[in-house]
Amino acid sequence: MIAEIGCAAPPFEPRLRFDHAFDIERDFSRKRGITHAHDHQAGPGDAARRRRAGHRSGGVASANDLDKSTESFPEGSRVTWHADGEHLLVKDTVADGHSAVAIFRWWDQSEDRYHTFTYFNRDGEGTTRDVNMDLYEHTTVNFRACVGDWKGSLENSSDTIRNCSSWEVSMA
């Protein structure tokens, strides 16, 4: 399993869930920071909660300045970050029988550590998996493109992840 980088285990048991791509992810929605759009319904207190926590809406850079892409080497996957709307796109670029993989992490200043997530696109060459995120404004994000082989669970598949690009850095 892809472990959290440079941190101890969370003080609670993360719940595992299956999504439409049969991917298993750690769900840290109980903690501040990331939730997935299909897991979270915005409520009237969300904006006030973010303001109290010191987060502002709007940024100094335009979203286009923060949009980034990276590709695995040798080719096989392309991962693109769209800061406006916080979408991570995982595209399979080669018909080679392997899955495109994105490793995504965001920096949590309050805990002084990264939260790391792994996303597989196992739908084949030419397809793109769109991961819609919900992060606080000005959150530092890192991602890399890799290839791997889906083996039914993240625990069984993590040893197959290879050919990763270097980390790309942006902001939400």
Side-chain angles (χ1 to χ4, degrees), residues 72-109:
S72 63
F73 182 81
E75 62 188 41
S77 73
R78 178 182 308 122
V79 177
T80 303
W81 170 251
H82 288 291
D84 185 23
E86 298 156 351
H87 288 265
L88 186 72
L89 305 177
V90 186
K91 182 171 185 169
D92 191 331
T93 59
V94 176
D96 57 5
H98 303 295
S99 298
V101 179
I103 301 176
F104 179 86
R105 65 186 185 184
W106 61 274
W107 180 251
D108 186 337
Q109 284 186 309

mmCIF file of all heavy atoms in Angstrom, residues 72-109:
data_model
loop_
_atom_site.group_PDB
_atom_site.id
_atom_site.type_symbol
_atom_site.label_atom_id
_atom_site.label_comp_id
_atom_site.label_asym_id
_atom_site.label_seq_id
_atom_site.Cartn_x
_atom_site.Cartn_y
_atom_site.Cartn_z
ATOM 1 N N SER A 72 4.643 9.995 -17.419
ATOM 2 C CA SER A 72 5.541 8.929 -16.979
ATOM 3 C C SER A 72 6.612 8.729 -18.045
ATOM 4 O O SER A 72 6.460 9.132 -19.194
ATOM 5 C CB SER A 72 4.757 7.631 -16.770
ATOM 6 O OG SER A 72 4.188 7.205 -17.993
ATOM 7 N N PHE A 73 7.714 8.102 -17.647
ATOM 8 C CA PHE A 73 8.759 7.785 -18.605
ATOM 9 C C PHE A 73 9.202 6.349 -18.377
ATOM 10 O O PHE A 73 9.568 6.006 -17.247
ATOM 11 C CB PHE A 73 9.972 8.713 -18.440
ATOM 12 C CG PHE A 73 11.027 8.427 -19.465
ATOM 13 C CD1 PHE A 73 10.907 8.942 -20.738
ATOM 14 C CD2 PHE A 73 12.098 7.602 -19.169
ATOM 15 C CE1 PHE A 73 11.863 8.653 -21.701
ATOM 16 C CE2 PHE A 73 13.051 7.307 -20.125
ATOM 17 C CZ PHE A 73 12.938 7.847 -21.397
ATOM 18 N N PRO A 74 9.189 5.456 -19.355
ATOM 19 C CA PRO A 74 8.664 5.743 -20.682
ATOM 20 C C PRO A 74 7.168 6.033 -20.626
ATOM 21 O O PRO A 74 6.518 5.790 -19.620
ATOM 22 C CB PRO A 74 8.950 4.474 -21.476
ATOM 23 C CG PRO A 74 9.198 3.401 -20.477
ATOM 24 C CD PRO A 74 9.627 4.070 -19.202
ATOM 25 N N GLU A 75 6.664 6.536 -21.734
ATOM 26 C CA GLU A 75 5.279 7.002 -21.756
ATOM 27 C C GLU A 75 4.295 5.907 -21.382
ATOM 28 O O GLU A 75 4.613 4.732 -21.387
ATOM 29 C CB GLU A 75 4.932 7.596 -23.115
ATOM 30 C CG GLU A 75 5.034 6.626 -24.261
ATOM 31 C CD GLU A 75 4.864 7.305 -25.596
ATOM 32 O OE1 GLU A 75 5.389 8.399 -25.783
ATOM 33 O OE2 GLU A 75 4.178 6.707 -26.442
ATOM 34 N N GLY A 76 3.097 6.317 -21.039
ATOM 35 C CA GLY A 76 2.045 5.401 -20.629
ATOM 36 C C GLY A 76 0.957 6.123 -19.874
ATOM 37 O O GLY A 76 -0.191 5.716 -19.887
ATOM 38 N N SER A 77 1.342 7.227 -19.198
ATOM 39 C CA SER A 77 0.320 7.999 -18.490
ATOM 40 C C SER A 77 0.672 9.481 -18.488
ATOM 41 O O SER A 77 1.841 9.856 -18.523
ATOM 42 C CB SER A 77 0.149 7.494 -17.050
ATOM 43 O OG SER A 77 1.241 7.870 -16.256
ATOM 44 N N ARG A 78 -0.379 10.288 -18.465
ATOM 45 C CA ARG A 78 -0.252 11.738 -18.329
ATOM 46 C C ARG A 78 -1.187 12.169 -17.212
ATOM 47 O O ARG A 78 -2.361 11.803 -17.199
ATOM 48 C CB ARG A 78 -0.625 12.464 -19.610
ATOM 49 C CG ARG A 78 -0.540 13.990 -19.451
ATOM 50 C CD ARG A 78 -0.952 14.763 -20.702
ATOM 51 N NE ARG A 78 -0.256 14.298 -21.871
ATOM 52 C CZ ARG A 78 -0.856 13.819 -22.965
ATOM 53 N NH1 ARG A 78 -2.172 13.746 -23.032
ATOM 54 N NH2 ARG A 78 -0.151 13.406 -23.995
ATOM 55 N N VAL A 79 -0.674 12.934 -16.276
ATOM 56 C CA VAL A 79 -1.478 13.454 -15.175
ATOM 57 C C VAL A 79 -1.483 14.967 -15.283
ATOM 58 O O VAL A 79 -0.433 15.596 -15.415
ATOM 59 C CB VAL A 79 -0.928 12.999 -13.806
ATOM 60 C CG1 VAL A 79 -1.733 13.618 -12.678
ATOM 61 C CG2 VAL A 79 -0.944 11.477 -13.709
ATOM 62 N N THR A 80 -2.685 15.535 -15.246
ATOM 63 C CA THR A 80 -2.855 16.985 -15.378
ATOM 64 C C THR A 80 -3.630 17.502 -14.181
ATOM 65 O O THR A 80 -4.633 16.909 -13.782
ATOM 66 C CB THR A 80 -3.621 17.320 -16.675
ATOM 67 O OG1 THR A 80 -2.912 16.760 -17.783
ATOM 68 C CG2 THR A 80 -3.773 18.823 -16.857
ATOM 69 N N TRP A 81 -3.163 18.609 -13.612
ATOM 70 C CA TRP A 81 -3.835 19.285 -12.506
ATOM 71 C C TRP A 81 -4.460 20.561 -13.037
ATOM 72 O O TRP A 81 -3.785 21.383 -13.655
ATOM 73 C CB TRP A 81 -2.831 19.615 -11.400
ATOM 74 C CG TRP A 81 -3.377 20.505 -10.331
ATOM 75 C CD1 TRP A 81 -3.063 21.813 -10.103
ATOM 76 C CD2 TRP A 81 -4.347 20.149 -9.331
ATOM 77 N NE1 TRP A 81 -3.769 22.292 -9.034
ATOM 78 C CE2 TRP A 81 -4.557 21.297 -8.538
ATOM 79 C CE3 TRP A 81 -5.043 18.984 -9.037
ATOM 80 C CZ2 TRP A 81 -5.449 21.300 -7.465
ATOM 81 C CZ3 TRP A 81 -5.922 18.995 -7.976
ATOM 82 C CH2 TRP A 81 -6.118 20.131 -7.201
ATOM 83 N N HIS A 82 -5.772 20.715 -12.823
ATOM 84 C CA HIS A 82 -6.487 21.960 -13.142
ATOM 85 C C HIS A 82 -6.869 22.600 -11.823
ATOM 86 O O HIS A 82 -7.757 22.114 -11.117
ATOM 87 C CB HIS A 82 -7.731 21.689 -13.992
ATOM 88 C CG HIS A 82 -7.405 21.296 -15.396
ATOM 89 N ND1 HIS A 82 -6.865 22.169 -16.305
ATOM 90 C CD2 HIS A 82 -7.536 20.114 -16.039
ATOM 91 C CE1 HIS A 82 -6.669 21.545 -17.455
ATOM 92 N NE2 HIS A 82 -7.069 20.297 -17.319
ATOM 93 N N ALA A 83 -6.185 23.684 -11.491
ATOM 94 C CA ALA A 83 -6.405 24.349 -10.206
ATOM 95 C C ALA A 83 -7.814 24.923 -10.099
ATOM 96 O O ALA A 83 -8.424 24.898 -9.040
ATOM 97 C CB ALA A 83 -5.363 25.446 -9.993
ATOM 98 N N ASP A 84 -8.333 25.445 -11.208
ATOM 99 C CA ASP A 84 -9.684 25.996 -11.201
ATOM 100 C C ASP A 84 -10.675 24.840 -11.213
ATOM 101 O O ASP A 84 -10.836 24.152 -12.206
ATOM 102 C CB ASP A 84 -9.891 26.888 -12.423
ATOM 103 C CG ASP A 84 -11.231 27.592 -12.409
ATOM 104 O OD1 ASP A 84 -11.811 27.756 -11.324
ATOM 105 O OD2 ASP A 84 -11.702 27.975 -13.496
ATOM 106 N N GLY A 85 -11.300 24.595 -10.091
ATOM 107 C CA GLY A 85 -12.206 23.458 -9.958
ATOM 108 C C GLY A 85 -11.544 22.262 -9.307
ATOM 109 O O GLY A 85 -12.209 21.301 -8.952
ATOM 110 N N GLU A 86 -10.242 22.294 -9.186
ATOM 111 C CA GLU A 86 -9.467 21.254 -8.512
ATOM 112 C C GLU A 86 -9.741 19.862 -9.080
ATOM 113 O O GLU A 86 -10.263 18.982 -8.415
ATOM 114 C CB GLU A 86 -9.703 21.313 -7.000
ATOM 115 C CG GLU A 86 -9.249 22.621 -6.420
ATOM 116 C CD GLU A 86 -9.939 22.985 -5.127
ATOM 117 O OE1 GLU A 86 -10.913 22.312 -4.741
ATOM 118 O OE2 GLU A 86 -9.509 23.963 -4.516
ATOM 119 N N HIS A 87 -9.371 19.702 -10.343
ATOM 120 C CA HIS A 87 -9.529 18.423 -11.035
ATOM 121 C C HIS A 87 -8.159 17.830 -11.320
ATOM 122 O O HIS A 87 -7.265 18.505 -11.819
ATOM 123 C CB HIS A 87 -10.275 18.608 -12.365
ATOM 124 C CG HIS A 87 -11.712 18.890 -12.189
ATOM 125 N ND1 HIS A 87 -12.667 17.907 -12.232
ATOM 126 C CD2 HIS A 87 -12.374 20.044 -11.948
ATOM 127 C CE1 HIS A 87 -13.867 18.447 -12.040
ATOM 128 N NE2 HIS A 87 -13.705 19.743 -11.868
ATOM 129 N N LEU A 88 -8.014 16.547 -11.021
ATOM 130 C CA LEU A 88 -6.831 15.775 -11.358
ATOM 131 C C LEU A 88 -7.243 14.810 -12.461
ATOM 132 O O LEU A 88 -8.138 13.978 -12.262
ATOM 133 C CB LEU A 88 -6.331 15.006 -10.126
ATOM 134 C CG LEU A 88 -5.016 14.257 -10.296
ATOM 135 C CD1 LEU A 88 -3.856 15.246 -10.368
ATOM 136 C CD2 LEU A 88 -4.815 13.290 -9.136
ATOM 137 N N LEU A 89 -6.619 14.940 -13.636
ATOM 138 C CA LEU A 89 -6.952 14.093 -14.779
ATOM 139 C C LEU A 89 -5.858 13.055 -14.959
ATOM 140 O O LEU A 89 -4.676 13.406 -15.055
ATOM 141 C CB LEU A 89 -7.089 14.936 -16.044
ATOM 142 C CG LEU A 89 -8.084 16.096 -15.973
ATOM 143 C CD1 LEU A 89 -8.078 16.895 -17.269
ATOM 144 C CD2 LEU A 89 -9.476 15.595 -15.654
ATOM 145 N N VAL A 90 -6.254 11.787 -15.010
ATOM 146 C CA VAL A 90 -5.312 10.679 -15.153
ATOM 147 C C VAL A 90 -5.605 10.011 -16.489
ATOM 148 O O VAL A 90 -6.622 9.332 -16.637
ATOM 149 C CB VAL A 90 -5.463 9.663 -13.994
ATOM 150 C CG1 VAL A 90 -4.380 8.597 -14.085
ATOM 151 C CG2 VAL A 90 -5.446 10.358 -12.647
ATOM 152 N N LYS A 91 -4.713 10.227 -17.479
ATOM 153 C CA LYS A 91 -4.945 9.729 -18.835
ATOM 154 C C LYS A 91 -3.994 8.583 -19.167
ATOM 155 O O LYS A 91 -2.793 8.677 -18.938
ATOM 156 C CB LYS A 91 -4.766 10.851 -19.857
ATOM 157 C CG LYS A 91 -5.047 10.386 -21.267
ATOM 158 C CD LYS A 91 -5.083 11.508 -22.261
ATOM 159 C CE LYS A 91 -5.489 10.942 -23.612
ATOM 160 N NZ LYS A 91 -5.794 11.977 -24.555
ATOM 161 N N ASP A 92 -4.557 7.512 -19.717
ATOM 162 C CA ASP A 92 -3.770 6.392 -20.225
ATOM 163 C C ASP A 92 -3.409 6.731 -21.663
ATOM 164 O O ASP A 92 -4.294 6.920 -22.496
ATOM 165 C CB ASP A 92 -4.593 5.101 -20.147
ATOM 166 C CG ASP A 92 -3.762 3.865 -20.412
ATOM 167 O OD1 ASP A 92 -2.768 3.946 -21.162
ATOM 168 O OD2 ASP A 92 -4.121 2.803 -19.874
ATOM 169 N N THR A 93 -2.109 6.829 -21.964
ATOM 170 C CA THR A 93 -1.676 7.312 -23.280
ATOM 171 C C THR A 93 -1.168 6.218 -24.210
ATOM 172 O O THR A 93 -0.886 6.496 -25.371
ATOM 173 C CB THR A 93 -0.574 8.376 -23.122
ATOM 174 O OG1 THR A 93 0.538 7.799 -22.431
ATOM 175 C CG2 THR A 93 -1.084 9.590 -22.360
ATOM 176 N N VAL A 94 -1.045 4.973 -23.737
ATOM 177 C CA VAL A 94 -0.490 3.900 -24.560
ATOM 178 C C VAL A 94 -1.298 2.616 -24.354
ATOM 179 O O VAL A 94 -1.632 2.263 -23.224
ATOM 180 C CB VAL A 94 0.998 3.643 -24.208
ATOM 181 C CG1 VAL A 94 1.546 2.468 -24.985
ATOM 182 C CG2 VAL A 94 1.838 4.870 -24.462
ATOM 183 N N ALA A 95 -1.584 1.918 -25.457
ATOM 184 C CA ALA A 95 -2.285 0.627 -25.383
ATOM 185 C C ALA A 95 -1.254 -0.464 -25.083
ATOM 186 O O ALA A 95 -0.813 -1.190 -25.966
ATOM 187 C CB ALA A 95 -3.006 0.348 -26.698
ATOM 188 N N ASP A 96 -0.867 -0.563 -23.800
ATOM 189 C CA ASP A 96 0.176 -1.504 -23.413
ATOM 190 C C ASP A 96 -0.286 -2.515 -22.365
ATOM 191 O O ASP A 96 0.498 -3.308 -21.861
ATOM 192 C CB ASP A 96 1.395 -0.750 -22.886
ATOM 193 C CG ASP A 96 1.067 0.166 -21.717
ATOM 194 O OD1 ASP A 96 -0.091 0.161 -21.249
ATOM 195 O OD2 ASP A 96 1.971 0.896 -21.272
ATOM 196 N N GLY A 97 -1.573 -2.476 -22.001
ATOM 197 C CA GLY A 97 -2.088 -3.399 -21.004
ATOM 198 C C GLY A 97 -1.853 -2.970 -19.569
ATOM 199 O O GLY A 97 -2.231 -3.677 -18.640
ATOM 200 N N HIS A 98 -1.226 -1.798 -19.362
ATOM 201 C CA HIS A 98 -0.970 -1.281 -18.017
ATOM 202 C C HIS A 98 -1.912 -0.116 -17.725
ATOM 203 O O HIS A 98 -2.407 0.541 -18.633
ATOM 204 C CB HIS A 98 0.482 -0.817 -17.875
ATOM 205 C CG HIS A 98 1.479 -1.879 -18.188
ATOM 206 N ND1 HIS A 98 1.616 -3.020 -17.432
ATOM 207 C CD2 HIS A 98 2.380 -1.978 -19.182
ATOM 208 C CE1 HIS A 98 2.570 -3.775 -17.943
ATOM 209 N NE2 HIS A 98 3.049 -3.166 -19.013
ATOM 210 N N SER A 99 -2.127 0.151 -16.465
ATOM 211 C CA SER A 99 -2.979 1.262 -16.034
ATOM 212 C C SER A 99 -2.156 2.539 -15.897
ATOM 213 O O SER A 99 -0.977 2.498 -15.545
ATOM 214 C CB SER A 99 -3.598 0.959 -14.666
ATOM 215 O OG SER A 99 -4.423 -0.170 -14.723
ATOM 216 N N ALA A 100 -2.805 3.672 -16.150
ATOM 217 C CA ALA A 100 -2.212 4.969 -15.824
ATOM 218 C C ALA A 100 -2.447 5.201 -14.340
ATOM 219 O O ALA A 100 -3.509 4.869 -13.808
ATOM 220 C CB ALA A 100 -2.860 6.068 -16.649
ATOM 221 N N VAL A 101 -1.448 5.757 -13.657
ATOM 222 C CA VAL A 101 -1.527 5.954 -12.212
ATOM 223 C C VAL A 101 -1.110 7.382 -11.874
ATOM 224 O O VAL A 101 -0.140 7.897 -12.432
ATOM 225 C CB VAL A 101 -0.600 4.962 -11.464
ATOM 226 C CG1 VAL A 101 -0.667 5.190 -9.963
ATOM 227 C CG2 VAL A 101 -0.945 3.520 -11.815
ATOM 228 N N ALA A 102 -1.861 7.999 -10.967
ATOM 229 C CA ALA A 102 -1.468 9.300 -10.410
ATOM 230 C C ALA A 102 -1.224 9.118 -8.922
ATOM 231 O O ALA A 102 -2.014 8.478 -8.235
ATOM 232 C CB ALA A 102 -2.559 10.330 -10.625
ATOM 233 N N ILE A 103 -0.112 9.648 -8.454
ATOM 234 C CA ILE A 103 0.130 9.737 -7.016
ATOM 235 C C ILE A 103 0.000 11.211 -6.682
ATOM 236 O O ILE A 103 0.689 12.053 -7.261
ATOM 237 C CB ILE A 103 1.500 9.171 -6.617
ATOM 238 C CG1 ILE A 103 1.600 7.709 -7.043
ATOM 239 C CG2 ILE A 103 1.716 9.327 -5.113
ATOM 240 C CD1 ILE A 103 2.955 7.077 -6.781
ATOM 241 N N PHE A 104 -0.912 11.518 -5.794
ATOM 242 C CA PHE A 104 -1.269 12.900 -5.470
ATOM 243 C C PHE A 104 -1.094 13.112 -3.980
ATOM 244 O O PHE A 104 -1.485 12.270 -3.173
ATOM 245 C CB PHE A 104 -2.732 13.152 -5.864
ATOM 246 C CG PHE A 104 -3.225 14.531 -5.549
ATOM 247 C CD1 PHE A 104 -3.033 15.556 -6.446
ATOM 248 C CD2 PHE A 104 -3.887 14.789 -4.359
ATOM 249 C CE1 PHE A 104 -3.486 16.841 -6.161
ATOM 250 C CE2 PHE A 104 -4.345 16.059 -4.064
ATOM 251 C CZ PHE A 104 -4.151 17.089 -4.963
ATOM 252 N N ARG A 105 -0.484 14.219 -3.601
ATOM 253 C CA ARG A 105 -0.365 14.540 -2.191
ATOM 254 C C ARG A 105 -0.589 16.033 -1.982
ATOM 255 O O ARG A 105 -0.342 16.836 -2.874
ATOM 256 C CB ARG A 105 0.991 14.098 -1.622
ATOM 257 C CG ARG A 105 2.176 14.821 -2.208
ATOM 258 C CD ARG A 105 3.473 14.231 -1.720
ATOM 259 N NE ARG A 105 4.592 15.031 -2.203
ATOM 260 C CZ ARG A 105 5.850 14.733 -2.000
ATOM 261 N NH1 ARG A 105 6.175 13.649 -1.338
ATOM 262 N NH2 ARG A 105 6.808 15.508 -2.455
ATOM 263 N N TRP A 106 -1.086 16.345 -0.803
ATOM 264 C CA TRP A 106 -1.282 17.752 -0.445
ATOM 265 C C TRP A 106 -0.715 17.982 0.940
ATOM 266 O O TRP A 106 -0.693 17.097 1.777
ATOM 267 C CB TRP A 106 -2.753 18.158 -0.556
ATOM 268 C CG TRP A 106 -3.686 17.411 0.345
ATOM 269 C CD1 TRP A 106 -4.280 16.206 0.088
ATOM 270 C CD2 TRP A 106 -4.139 17.800 1.639
ATOM 271 N NE1 TRP A 106 -5.059 15.828 1.146
ATOM 272 C CE2 TRP A 106 -5.000 16.787 2.114
ATOM 273 C CE3 TRP A 106 -3.903 18.907 2.456
ATOM 274 C CZ2 TRP A 106 -5.620 16.852 3.351
ATOM 275 C CZ3 TRP A 106 -4.526 18.970 3.693
ATOM 276 C CH2 TRP A 106 -5.379 17.953 4.115
ATOM 277 N N TRP A 107 -0.217 19.193 1.143
ATOM 278 C CA TRP A 107 0.449 19.539 2.390
ATOM 279 C C TRP A 107 -0.566 20.063 3.389
ATOM 280 O O TRP A 107 -1.315 20.985 3.109
ATOM 281 C CB TRP A 107 1.525 20.586 2.136
ATOM 282 C CG TRP A 107 2.250 20.989 3.372
ATOM 283 C CD1 TRP A 107 2.167 22.173 4.020
ATOM 284 C CD2 TRP A 107 3.158 20.184 4.123
ATOM 285 N NE1 TRP A 107 2.982 22.169 5.124
ATOM 286 C CE2 TRP A 107 3.600 20.954 5.216
ATOM 287 C CE3 TRP A 107 3.642 18.885 3.987
ATOM 288 C CZ2 TRP A 107 4.498 20.475 6.160
ATOM 289 C CZ3 TRP A 107 4.538 18.412 4.923
ATOM 290 C CH2 TRP A 107 4.960 19.201 5.995
ATOM 291 N N ASP A 108 -0.577 19.467 4.565
ATOM 292 C CA ASP A 108 -1.468 19.883 5.641
ATOM 293 C C ASP A 108 -0.622 20.625 6.675
ATOM 294 O O ASP A 108 0.103 20.005 7.454
ATOM 295 C CB ASP A 108 -2.128 18.653 6.266
ATOM 296 C CG ASP A 108 -3.188 18.994 7.296
ATOM 297 O OD1 ASP A 108 -3.143 20.106 7.865
ATOM 298 O OD2 ASP A 108 -4.051 18.140 7.536
ATOM 299 N N GLN A 109 -0.701 21.960 6.659
ATOM 300 C CA GLN A 109 0.119 22.759 7.582
ATOM 301 C C GLN A 109 -0.232 22.489 9.038
ATOM 302 O O GLN A 109 0.636 22.504 9.895
ATOM 303 C CB GLN A 109 -0.044 24.242 7.283
ATOM 304 C CG GLN A 109 0.720 24.671 6.061
ATOM 305 C CD GLN A 109 0.671 26.156 5.865
ATOM 306 O OE1 GLN A 109 -0.401 26.757 5.872
ATOM 307 N NE2 GLN A 109 1.832 26.756 5.686
#
